[in-house]
Amino acid sequence: MAAASAAGEFRLGQRGHAAGDPRRVGTVRYLGPVESHSGDWVGVDWDDGAGGRHDGSVAGRRYFVAAGERSASFARPTALSKGISLPDALRLRYRVEDFTKEEQDEMYVFSTSQKRVSVEFVGQNKVQEKLKNFNDLTSASVSYMGVSSTGPPDELESLVPNLSLLDLTGNLFSQWHDISALCQALESLEVLNLTNNTMENDIVESPMLENIRILVLNNCGVTWELVEKFKVSFTRLNELHLMSNKLKMIMIPDGKFVQGFNTLRLLNLEDNNIDSWDEIVKLSYLKSLEQLHLNKNRIKHVKYPFILPTHGPLDDASAVPFENLQVLLLGSNEIEDLSSVDSLNLFPSLRDVRLSDNPIADPAKGGAPRFVLIARLGKVKILNGSEVSPRERRESEIRYVRLVMGKTQSNDQEEIKRLHPRFAELKTFHGIEDEKPTSSISGPQKMSSGLINITLKCVGPSMGEKQPLTKKLPPTTTVGKLKSLCESFFKLKDIRVKLFVEEEGCPLPQLLEEDTASLMELGIGSGASIVVDEES
């Protein structure tokens, strides 16, 4: 009887929040008695721990399995809230006459004479005038208000008929039939944010929901199997956000490639557990896809797919993988090979790439500096969020060619092409000749013909104010030798110097760590600026 009484108010899998605290949200995992305690109890697995006390077992008896060691607790049904309807939440949030004194005070600022001045556009009178009739409400946020249902469809439709953007972050929705009902009731709705609502895999049949253009399902416990189910309903999506869902695999019921999503331009899979590029290849033939966000996954290697689709409606010999992809964000992964960088040149439309926080883009971990990445990525206009100007591209490519020339020992052209696919092309394009001594030139004329102009700038706090110097140096000058020359040029006594090269597009100068490396080997040529600092 106790279990039946508790079940009358809650169901297993239902989302609820602590009474009086809509931000403390959890999932009902048990309904019934608890040994040595009288009455009805609800076992809750709280999101992110949220002050739990155990893992679903008490006094040696297990009642349910919680997500964490201390994410669960038992509560009386009266200590939990099943939430409120969306119409009630909208009225609570936007009905001005019910504002508290604190909320009303937020509508004013104090002038220098400490007089209350209403805030333009959001002052109380304007809000009251605008929202006397909810027909004018086009964007609404009821985040963390304990919303668990849409309420009667006709009530929601009549209350906010022109609502086009709705933020439901952190509420209690879990069943897809509620989402379908909501989208059907709000015909003007185009943007729906369900972040931090734990959704069940309960789609059986869903109506066509062609009004939704942007769907946000971040941290909703969504699997790709669920995506395959709901994509049939959301036929006109432009953006799909699936961050923080612990996705590892893109499971497809038939064939090798994801089909459908004919209007999808942006897919956000950031902060998941994808570790194989083979999973991403399954997205190759989303024909409208322009942006793919893959930051904060575990991808180790990238390779452009040359395979052609051979299943179902994708059987098209003229299809091009990632044909319209312009933006590929790969920051904070585990990429460490230059072949992955080179493969990005094969994406036909790629213009914006993020590789930051990967081993391959961290010179301190043996990765490539920015100028090398730019030179190897011939079509990229934006790298790591920073625009690549024509000047930066030219300087990076010239410096890269000099770097390769300085370090390459082999004359095997095939080997050079394998390791540096763009080297020969860039060398020819910029008219860079091999560094070879000319027998007909000797003495000072021969020496001066190979010198490069370097500008040296002192910035060390103990160095005093010193004017920058421009010096002509042999390209074979090593970093260690240049340090000694700087000590002499600037008369630096008892100061250990460290050198940095300034690069356009980099927020900070790049440290020159290897004392035995020459300027040529580092790709540093005429016009470069070297910052002279002191060891701390």
Side-chain angles (χ1 to χ4, degrees), residues 195 213 221 238 300 308 313 360 409 456 505:
T195 294
R213 297 292 187 270
N238 298 145
K300 298 177 177 62
L308 290 173
I360 191 59
Q409 303 297 322
L456 305 169

Side-chain angles (χ1 to χ4, degrees), residues 407-434:
K407 286 193 170 184
T408 300
Q409 303 297 322
S410 170
N411 289 322
D412 185 339
Q413 296 303 309
E414 289 300 318
E415 177 69 3
I416 293 174
K417 184 176 181 180
R418 184 183 69 81
L419 295 174
H420 307 282
R422 299 196 70 224
F423 170 71
E425 167 198 347
L426 295 176
K427 185 169 178 283
T428 301
F429 179 78
H430 292 289
I432 300 173
E433 299 293 333
D434 291 327

Side-chain angles (χ1 to χ4, degrees), residues 75-136:
R76 296 291 189 185
T78 54
L80 292 175
S81 172
K82 295 185 295 182
I84 61 176
S85 71
L86 179 54
D88 287 343
L90 288 167
R91 293 188 186 98
L92 284 171
R93 178 63 59 88
Y94 291 100
R95 192 165 60 191
V96 183
E97 56 265 29
D98 291 341
F99 281 172
T100 65
K101 182 180 184 301
E102 290 76 13
E103 289 170 326
Q104 291 178 18
D105 286 343
E106 290 177 1
M107 297 177 184
Y108 298 89
V109 296
F110 286 94
S111 67
T112 53
S113 58
Q114 294 301 298
K115 292 182 179 179
R116 281 161 60 96
V117 180
S118 64
V119 179
E120 188 68 18
F121 299 120
V122 295
Q124 186 176 20
N125 291 338
K126 291 183 180 292
V127 175
Q128 284 177 330
E129 180 180 346
K130 183 174 182 179
L131 294 183
K132 280 179 181 176
N133 189 336
F134 274 72
N135 286 345
D136 294 326

Side-chain angles (χ1 to χ4, degrees), residues 294-484:
L294 297 171
N295 294 327
K296 297 183 179 180
N297 277 277
R298 300 174 182 175
I299 297 169
K300 298 177 177 62
H301 183 72
V302 176
K303 185 176 181 180
Y304 184 74
F306 287 103
I307 51 179
L308 290 173
T310 56
H311 294 268
L314 286 178
D315 190 5
D316 180 2
S318 65
V320 177
F322 294 113
E323 182 174 10
N324 293 303
L325 189 68
Q326 299 176 29
V327 179
L328 180 58
L329 305 185
L330 291 163
S332 300
N333 277 276
E334 300 173 13
I335 301 167
E336 56 185 9
D337 61 308
L338 283 169
S339 62
S340 290
V341 177
D342 295 332
S343 72
L344 298 177
N345 281 311
L346 302 174
F347 289 71
S349 303
L350 196 60
R351 298 293 182 269
D352 184 346
V353 172
R354 180 174 290 278
L355 291 168
S356 52
D357 297 315
N358 279 278
I360 191 59
D362 186 353
K365 296 180 180 179
R370 179 179 170 89
F371 81 90
V372 170
L373 297 176
I374 290 172
R376 297 185 86 115
L377 295 170
K379 296 179 289 188
V380 167
K381 304 294 184 183
I382 299 175
L383 177 62
N384 296 336
S386 177
E387 183 179 359
V388 179
S389 69
R391 175 185 171 185
E392 184 184 15
R393 172 159 293 286
R394 180 179 182 277
E395 291 179 352
S396 295
E397 291 176 350
I398 291 173
R399 185 177 170 192
Y400 169 71
V401 170
R402 288 175 176 149
L403 172 67
V404 176
M405 291 170 63
K407 286 193 170 184
T408 300
Q409 303 297 322
S410 170
N411 289 322
D412 185 339
Q413 296 303 309
E414 289 300 318
E415 177 69 3
I416 293 174
K417 184 176 181 180
R418 184 183 69 81
L419 295 174
H420 307 282
R422 299 196 70 224
F423 170 71
E425 167 198 347
L426 295 176
K427 185 169 178 283
T428 301
F429 179 78
H430 292 289
I432 300 173
E433 299 293 333
D434 291 327
E435 298 287 341
K436 294 180 179 179
T438 305
S439 57
S440 60
I441 302 177
S442 60
Q445 185 180 359
K446 175 182 176 181
M447 183 178 294
S448 63
S449 66
L451 300 181
I452 57 177
N453 291 317
I454 301 293
T455 299
L456 305 169
K457 305 175 183 177
C458 269
V459 299
S462 301
M463 297 177 179
E465 291 190 17
K466 299 183 184 295
Q467 292 297 315
L469 295 177
T470 299
K471 295 290 184 178
K472 291 185 175 182
L473 301 172
T476 54
T477 303
T478 64
V479 172
K481 177 62 175 177
L482 184 55
K483 288 179 180 179
S484 299

Side-chain angles (χ1 to χ4, degrees), residues 461-511:
S462 301
M463 297 177 179
E465 291 190 17
K466 299 183 184 295
Q467 292 297 315
L469 295 177
T470 299
K471 295 290 184 178
K472 291 185 175 182
L473 301 172
T476 54
T477 303
T478 64
V479 172
K481 177 62 175 177
L482 184 55
K483 288 179 180 179
S484 299
L485 290 172
C486 288
E487 292 171 2
S488 174
F489 292 153
F490 294 109
K491 297 180 172 56
L492 304 175
K493 294 183 179 180
D494 302 321
I495 296 178
R496 293 184 60 192
V497 302
K498 56 182 178 180
L499 305 179
F500 299 81
V501 60
E502 289 186 326
E503 295 182 30
E504 184 180 349
C506 285
L508 296 172
Q510 298 297 302
L511 178 64

Side-chain angles (χ1 to χ4, degrees), residues 18-253:
D21 186 2
R23 287 183 174 270
R24 190 185 181 204
V25 178
T27 304
V28 175
R29 296 301 185 196
Y30 174 80
L31 296 166
V34 175
E35 190 174 331
S36 302
H37 294 79
S38 62
D40 300 336
W41 293 90
V42 181
V44 183
D45 193 3
W46 300 102
D47 294 359
D48 302 320
R53 297 183 177 183
H54 51 76
D55 64 353
S57 62
V58 176
R61 178 178 173 181
R62 178 163 296 285
Y63 294 88
F64 62 96
V65 178
E69 293 182 359
R70 297 181 64 83
S71 66
S73 66
F74 287 103
R76 296 291 189 185
T78 54
L80 292 175
S81 172
K82 295 185 295 182
I84 61 176
S85 71
L86 179 54
D88 287 343
L90 288 167
R91 293 188 186 98
L92 284 171
R93 178 63 59 88
Y94 291 100
R95 192 165 60 191
V96 183
E97 56 265 29
D98 291 341
F99 281 172
T100 65
K101 182 180 184 301
E102 290 76 13
E103 289 170 326
Q104 291 178 18
D105 286 343
E106 290 177 1
M107 297 177 184
Y108 298 89
V109 296
F110 286 94
S111 67
T112 53
S113 58
Q114 294 301 298
K115 292 182 179 179
R116 281 161 60 96
V117 180
S118 64
V119 179
E120 188 68 18
F121 299 120
V122 295
Q124 186 176 20
N125 291 338
K126 291 183 180 292
V127 175
Q128 284 177 330
E129 180 180 346
K130 183 174 182 179
L131 294 183
K132 280 179 181 176
N133 189 336
F134 274 72
N135 286 345
D136 294 326
L137 192 64
T138 57
S139 300
S141 173
V142 289
S143 58
Y144 296 99
M145 290 189 68
V147 182
S148 58
S149 70
T150 59
D154 55 346
E155 180 185 8
L156 184 59
E157 182 180 3
S158 61
L159 181 67
V160 284
N162 296 308
L163 196 67
S164 63
L165 184 154
L166 179 59
D167 182 2
L168 288 169
T169 296
N171 281 289
L172 306 178
F173 284 102
S174 61
Q175 297 187 311
W176 279 100
H177 67 77
D178 289 328
I179 305 305
S180 296
L182 185 154
C183 295
Q184 286 180 295
L186 300 175
E187 294 183 357
S188 297
L189 190 65
E190 296 183 352
V191 181
L192 178 59
N193 187 348
L194 291 167
T195 294
N196 293 345
N197 288 265
T198 300
M199 303 305 301
E200 299 177 8
N201 188 2
D202 64 340
I203 296 179
V204 178
E205 186 175 347
S206 185
M208 301 298 281
L209 305 172
E210 297 181 346
N211 50 321
I212 303 300
R213 297 292 187 270
I214 299 175
L215 181 61
V216 183
L217 293 168
N218 297 336
N219 194 31
C220 290
V222 171
T223 63
W224 196 267
E225 294 94 326
L226 186 59
V227 173
E228 288 291 323
K229 290 180 180 180
F230 71 62
K231 75 178 183 183
V232 179
S233 298
F234 297 98
T235 57
R236 295 189 179 179
L237 276 184
N238 298 145
E239 296 184 16
L240 177 59
H241 297 261
L242 299 171
M243 292 177 61
S244 307
N245 281 297
K246 299 180 180 179
L247 290 169
K248 182 178 175 67
M249 300 181 70
I250 295 177
M251 302 295 291
I252 308 168

